[in-house]
Amino acid sequence: MRVDETDVGGVLSTIGGSPLVRLDKLMPDAPFTLWAKLEAHNPGGSIKDRSALGMLIDRLRAGELQPGRSVVVESSSGNLGIGLAQVCRYFGIRFICVVDPRTNAQNIAVMRAFDAEVEVVTRTDPATGEYLPQRIRRVQELVATIPNAWWPDQYANPLNPRAHETTMREIVEGVPTPLDFLFCATSSCGTLRGCADYARRHELALTMVAVDAAGSAIFGDYSPRKRLIPGHGAGIRPKLYRDGLADKVVHVDDLDCVAGCRRLARREAILAGGSSGAVVAALEQLRDLIPAGATCALIFPDRGERYLSTIYDDDWVAGHFGDVTHLWRDQPMDVPPC
């Protein structure tokens, strides 16, 4: 059975075309304009839906992935796993996702709701102290032993960034004035590279800001540290990385993510995931470097419902960081109670 152009219908036809909204309340006194690309509106709830469909659809059309016979195996911290689970379920393909203990329980539950099989790697890599190398080793073991298994390899597959050239085109065509700054969280480097490739090919004069996790290996100066919030950063440098992808790199820690998410929800009524909070934190770090009149776009990769037991749970936050509510509650834009 082969999949032709007309078979990308149903729920998969809603991937992409996510809303682009102006942020007027996040930094009301800023002399520049802010726009947000809300990737939570993809059917699987994140920007990774674009990558999942982009990496699988050509192989489906070529007959290299066959419903009822092929097995897709991938490593994911959650969102790509959900995207792949949805695409594989739609086409009737078995899917196995290898995750680690940082993956949200809700993400695992969503994957299993799509009949995905989930394996949790519980040991870190001895050399790096990270889970990702162990996840990849387990994927390779499964692919080597399961007949008709295939690894999309989001960390090296050029179809991953190619899917995000469309993301960038939607942003550029959606803002009313030329784009000056783009803030993008990084993990596999798929979104960052896709957006950067589009910008360079079209000779766009903008500043690409990569938002990475403190302790991540992507941009060098690697110093392993425990990370609580999944979704951005990586324990090894992805093969999709290349020098010059970003004009500026900002590293943020877990508390930055929490505070950014909470401020975003409090000021703009946008409930977004941890990497979106990281993007907000990076914007705040670079605020004084953004010239008056500039147009800035922020990519918010996923939705916040999957973080209700962590980022948006007061007890969880207090248990890990202490009393830090002043980071988002003592804000001049807060509306007094009626």
Side-chain angles (χ1 to χ4, degrees), residues 54 58 157-167 190 193-194 197:
D58 286 346
N157 192 328
L159 296 178
N160 179 0
R162 189 178 302 172
H164 297 293
E165 293 187 31
T166 302
T167 310
R193 180 162 174 175
D197 286 348

Side-chain angles (χ1 to χ4, degrees), residues 10-316:
V11 69
L12 302 185
S13 68
T14 67
I15 294 175
S18 57
L20 184 70
V21 299
R22 181 162 171 167
L23 303 180
D24 294 317
K25 297 182 178 182
L26 184 62
M27 293 183 175
D29 57 343
F32 45 80
T33 304
L34 291 175
W35 295 85
K37 188 68 165 164
L38 304 182
E39 289 296 302
H41 287 253
N42 284 298
S46 85
I47 196 168
K48 295 288 190 175
D49 290 4
R50 297 178 187 257
S51 300
L53 183 61
M55 290 189 294
L56 265 59
I57 193 60
D58 286 346
R59 292 184 70 92
L60 282 159
R61 287 173 175 155
E64 296 169 359
L65 282 178
Q66 298 182 4
R69 182 172 181 269
S70 298
V71 182
V72 172
V73 186
E74 181 60 287
S75 159
S76 173
S77 61
N79 282 332
L80 181 71
I82 290 173
L84 287 171
Q86 186 170 49
V87 173
C88 288
R89 177 83 322 264
Y90 185 84
F91 289 112
I93 293 174
R94 182 184 173 194
F95 173 54
I96 303 172
C97 191
V98 179
V99 302
D100 64 55
R102 288 187 305 217
T103 304
N104 294 337
Q106 186 177 4
N107 284 352
I108 293 175
V110 172
M111 284 186 266
R112 286 177 171 154
F114 285 126
D115 289 336
E117 301 165 43
V118 180
E119 284 203 16
V120 182
V121 168
T122 58
R123 294 182 179 179
T124 59
D125 174 58
T128 65
E130 293 283 350
Y131 287 110
L132 180 56
Q134 294 289 76
R135 282 176 14 207
I136 291 176
R137 289 189 192 103
R138 183 55 182 155
V139 168
Q140 292 169 334
E141 290 172 357
L142 291 169
V143 171
T145 56
I146 296 175
N148 305 308
W150 176 66
W151 177 27
D153 192 2
Q154 63 164 317
Y155 313 102
N157 192 328
L159 296 178
N160 179 0
R162 189 178 302 172
H164 297 293
E165 293 187 31
T166 302
T167 310
M168 187 62 173
R169 176 180 57 76
E170 291 173 9
I171 294 171
V172 170
E173 294 178 354
V175 295
T177 54
L179 187 63
D180 298 299
F181 286 80
L182 179 75
F183 287 75
C184 173
T186 59
S187 54
S188 69
C189 286
T191 304
L192 176 64
R193 180 162 174 175
C195 291
D197 286 348
Y198 181 96
R200 284 162 176 74
R201 190 169 63 253
H202 290 82
E203 299 181 342
L204 302 180
L206 61 87
T207 299
M208 298 286 301
V209 181
V211 183
D212 197 13
S216 168
I218 297 175
F219 293 95
D221 299 324
Y222 181 46
S223 54
R225 67 172 70 181
K226 181 179 179 181
R227 287 185 279 128
L228 300 171
I229 299 172
H232 71 302
I236 57 176
R237 175 174 284 177
K239 293 180 180 178
L240 289 176
Y241 170 88
R242 71 177 186 214
D243 290 338
L245 280 178
D247 300 298
K248 295 183 182 296
V249 178
V250 180
H251 287 89
V252 299
D253 60 24
D254 287 328
L255 181 56
D256 293 328
C257 295
V258 171
C261 284
R262 292 295 193 104
R263 281 196 285 268
L264 186 61
R266 195 170 184 86
R267 290 186 164 215
E268 293 283 356
I270 295 174
L271 196 69
S275 53
S276 300
V279 168
V280 171
L283 171 69
E284 291 168 345
Q285 288 189 36
L286 296 186
R287 173 176 177 156
D288 293 341
L289 301 179
I290 300 175
T295 297
C296 306
L298 317 177
I299 298 178
F300 292 161
D302 66 352
R303 59 181 54 159
E305 289 90 341
R306 294 164 187 167
Y307 300 83
L308 292 179
S309 62
T310 54
I311 289 172
Y312 296 101
D313 183 274
D314 290 341
D315 291 337
W316 184 90

